[in-house]
Amino acid sequence: MSNHPDTRNPTKFPITWTLEGKWVTGGFGLVLLLIGMVSFVSYQNAVQLAESAKRVRQTNTVLKDLTSISATLTDAEAGRRGYILFGDPAELARYIKAGGTLKAQIDRFRQSLADTPGQQNRLNSLERLISQRLKLFEQSIQQYSGKPRQLPAQDPLIAQLKQNRDAISQLTDALVAEE
């Protein structure tokens, strides 16, 4: 047996790398590693950007729905006051229309909060307060219809209305702050 490598079987020859070949291979591997890292970071940023855009849309929808509900409540109250103070049936119709619109607005708002349980709880409380407010409106219409067109300053019903309005305002602020 000879100590010389077998030239007939090239797989037995040891691979010898030149210094230049090692640098080129190492550089190529480093470039591939950097491209992979940059791709991963870019992907993560794109996912975060999409999630942020979704949250912004959600917040805008919530704010729009809250503004709409608040405006409708204000319209109902203005119609109620107009009817009590002036006896104008058009104001009563305005009140009734606003009251009927609120249910649909709350249902739409509930859909936009479907994936946030904490906000759903607040919405349930808000819905109860709005229902209570509408009942107080009804009571005030019945109580003051056909009477002198001046509301007493110290009426307990008016105090309840103010307390209810403040509770709705606090709850609405909490919903906005959460978003």
Side-chain angles (χ1 to χ4, degrees), residues 28 66 71 100 169 174:
F28 184 70
L66 275 173
S169 179

Side-chain angles (χ1 to χ4, degrees), residues 93-152:
R94 176 181 174 191
Y95 161 76
I96 292 169
K97 180 181 176 191
T101 304
L102 279 168
K103 174 75 171 124
Q105 289 174 331
I106 291 171
D107 289 344
R108 186 173 51 246
F109 190 38
R110 186 173 307 287
Q111 289 174 353
S112 66
L113 293 177
D115 58 347
T116 52
Q119 293 286 63
Q120 283 283 339
N121 292 336
R122 286 189 181 105
L123 176 59
N124 291 336
S125 297
L126 179 65
E127 188 173 21
R128 281 190 300 275
L129 286 170
I130 288 172
S131 178
Q132 178 186 18
R133 185 156 190 84
L134 292 174
K135 286 176 186 174
L136 290 170
F137 284 170
E138 285 293 325
Q139 287 176 3
S140 68
I141 287 172
Q142 290 173 3
Q143 184 173 339
Y144 296 112
S145 292
K147 294 189 177 174
R149 305 294 183 217
Q150 187 173 8
L151 298 177

